[in-house]
Amino acid sequence: MVRLTMGSIRWAFNFGKWKPLREEWLLAAQSVQLEENQRIHKFVFRKDAKAALVGRLLLRKVIAEKLDIPWQKVKLVRTEKGKPILEDTEDHRISFNIAHQGDYTVLASEMGPSTVGIDVMKAERPNGIKGLKDFFRLMRRQYTDHEWVTILKNPDEQEQLCAFYRLWCLKESYIKAVGIGIGFELKRMEFHIYSPEVPIGQVILDTRSLQTEDMTEFTMPNFTHLGFSHLVDTAESLLESEDSNWENFTNKPENPSDWKRSTAGSLDI
């Protein structure tokens, strides 16, 4: 049976391309809780600070809009596993989850008591890994024999990497949805992929796992890409605007490669 989920939300924000103006960053920074703002201050790189701040804004936006709670009344806390939840844990009207990696922060949300998990990965070889075979050897225990067949049957290395990360995202999304935590062995779940490719702009629903073989199928929405104006269109100030937020942000290198270049340059002097 296929049915439409009511209140399904899928949002994506490309923080990699976001080059915030001073006014934008200050608006975003003052629209989150104090402890969230302080946590974002501690990131070493601008890219990570942007990803985290966007994630908090996405969470507040979906809660405020879908539950009709004033922005200033939304109080987020974390579980022992680090999962963000509403402070009122008795409120099960909405389930939400976020992830960020590469250039994107993404959010998935469902209305009702169901749980939802999401993950995103950029299909690129990790830094410090000489060859794909070495990388796969390190990750051997995270996948079942069937899943390795799915990965390695692709003739091209980039296609193998895409299949690897596709399965990784499936496993991580499941773990996040059920709230198991990082101690769960990824090899304990096995996913079967029937559509070898995921066309851009389409949702694939024929993937199955040993845990969800009998699950009811849902028709899911495509991801909506939000711009900054949409991200903050319902935001309200929770904190005073402080120039230190902007100074802290601009003093960070964009990413590790920028930091390495600047460090190498200083050593040459």
Side-chain angles (χ1 to χ4, degrees):
M1 181 179 75
V2 178
R3 60 189 177 92
L4 178 67
T5 56
M6 301 303 295
S8 297
I9 295 292
R10 301 293 183 270
W11 286 338
F13 186 94
N14 188 330
F15 65 81
K17 289 185 177 180
W18 181 38
K19 309 299 180 185
L21 302 174
R22 177 180 177 276
E23 294 75 14
E24 292 178 338
W25 187 258
L26 291 178
L27 172 61
Q30 70 185 89
S31 300
V32 299
Q33 294 166 204
L34 177 60
E35 59 270 24
E36 297 167 348
N37 187 290
Q38 293 172 338
R39 180 171 173 268
I40 291 165
H41 260 63
K42 297 178 181 178
F43 282 106
V44 175
F45 303 110
R46 261 182 276 173
K47 189 173 185 179
D48 296 327
K50 289 189 295 182
L53 182 53
V54 168
R56 308 316 287 184
L57 292 170
L58 286 173
L59 286 175
R60 300 190 74 86
K61 178 180 174 69
V62 75
I63 293 168
E65 293 182 6
K66 291 302 175 182
L67 298 185
D68 196 26
I69 299 176
W71 187 279
Q72 295 184 347
K73 300 281 187 186
V74 176
K75 177 64 175 177
L76 290 164
V77 295
R78 291 179 182 271
T79 66
E80 293 182 358
K81 303 289 187 181
K83 184 177 181 179
I85 60 171
L86 277 170
E87 186 176 41
D88 180 8
T89 55
E90 297 301 317
D91 193 336
H92 300 296
R93 292 176 293 166
I94 190 171
S95 175
F96 48 81
N97 196 233
I98 58 169
H100 52 77
Q101 205 273 337
D103 295 319
Y104 280 91
T105 297
V106 293
L107 173 141
S109 176
E110 296 289 336
M111 296 299 294
S114 61
T115 59
V116 63
I118 191 171
D119 195 46
V120 59
M121 293 295 295
K122 188 173 184 178
E124 60 183 3
R125 192 174 302 173
N127 293 329
I129 300 296
K130 295 181 179 180
L132 197 58
K133 289 183 178 180
D134 293 333
F135 177 51
F136 286 168
R137 190 178 302 113
L138 291 173
M139 303 300 293
R140 178 71 195 180
R141 297 178 62 183
Q142 306 300 329
Y143 294 81
T144 67
D145 291 341
H146 173 84
E147 289 170 335
W148 279 117
V149 169
T150 300
I151 294 168
L152 298 175
K153 71 180 181 181
N154 295 285
D156 181 76
E157 282 198 353
Q158 184 60 32
E159 292 177 353
Q160 291 179 8
L161 197 59
C162 287
F164 175 92
Y165 281 125
R166 183 177 173 185
L167 286 164
W168 181 270
C169 286
L170 289 166
K171 291 171 180 280
E172 287 291 323
S173 296
Y174 176 81
I175 288 174
K176 293 168 72 175
V178 299
I180 297 174
I182 59 175
F184 186 80
E185 294 182 13
L186 296 181
K187 196 174 182 179
R188 288 174 58 187
M189 66 185 76
E190 180 177 278
F191 284 91
H192 293 229
I193 292 176
Y194 297 102
S195 296
E197 296 183 3
V198 182
I200 295 175
Q202 294 186 27
V203 177
I204 299 301
L205 295 171
D206 59 2
T207 301
R208 288 292 178 269
S209 78
L210 299 182
Q211 287 77 18
T212 60
E213 198 66 49
D214 297 324
M215 67 179 285
T216 300
E217 288 188 1
F218 297 92
T219 57
M220 293 293 180
N222 288 321
F223 276 86
T224 299
H225 286 71
L226 302 184
F228 181 75
S229 61
H230 296 103
L231 183 65
V232 297
D233 57 2
T234 57
E236 297 177 4
S237 297
L238 304 180
L239 307 170
E240 294 292 331
S241 179
E242 297 183 5
D243 286 338
S244 59
N245 280 317
W246 177 245
E247 294 170 2
N248 175 275
F249 175 71
T250 55
N251 287 334
K252 302 176 190 290
E254 177 66 21
N255 52 49
S257 60
D258 289 342
W259 178 80
K260 289 178 181 178
R261 283 195 295 268
S262 64
T263 303
S266 64
L267 293 176
D268 291 336
I269 295 176

